[in-house]
Amino acid sequence: MAHGDITHIDIPADDIPRATAFYRELFGWDIKEYPGYEGYPMWTAPNTISGGGISPRDDVLTTPRSYVEVDSIEETLAKAVELGGTVVTPKQEISPTSWWASFTDSEGNQLALYEGTTA
């Protein structure tokens, strides 16, 4: 994926098994947990391109959050702040070759950034 592509969407849920069953039945998504990501089932749409995760709802993740692929999380966060955004979650490791972070935009919407590759 290229800089600026939406790569992942997290859907918050109060009841992960209930939400998993709901989206599997509603959209026919393939939803499964992967080793190392227990408790975070990941979904893939029938086009096998779109996907994301079903995440426990918390104080930070209250609505669906889109992840945008970027070349550099540090540079993108700095530019977001320069343009009136606010960092919510600083850069965090997903794996040795991938990272994420989140910010609010100038309108208060939360988005996340993704950098790297995930096997």
Side-chain angles (χ1 to χ4, degrees), residues 43-110:
W43 59 271
T44 304
N47 67 11
T48 68
I49 298 168
S50 304
I54 300 175
S55 184
R57 185 182 315 274
D58 61 22
D59 292 340
V60 175
L61 185 64
T62 59
T63 60
R65 177 173 58 204
S66 296
Y67 288 70
V68 180
E69 175 117 5
V70 296
D71 296 329
S72 168
I73 285 177
E74 292 90 347
E75 290 175 12
T76 306
L77 284 177
K79 183 150 191 165
V81 170
E82 177 184 317
L83 295 171
T86 305
V87 174
V88 175
T89 308
K91 186 175 180 179
Q92 307 279 316
E93 183 177 290
I94 298 170
S95 74
T97 60
S98 59
W99 304 266
W100 78 281
S102 67
F103 68 97
T104 55
D105 67 9
S106 60
E107 309 310 304
N109 300 301
Q110 189 179 145

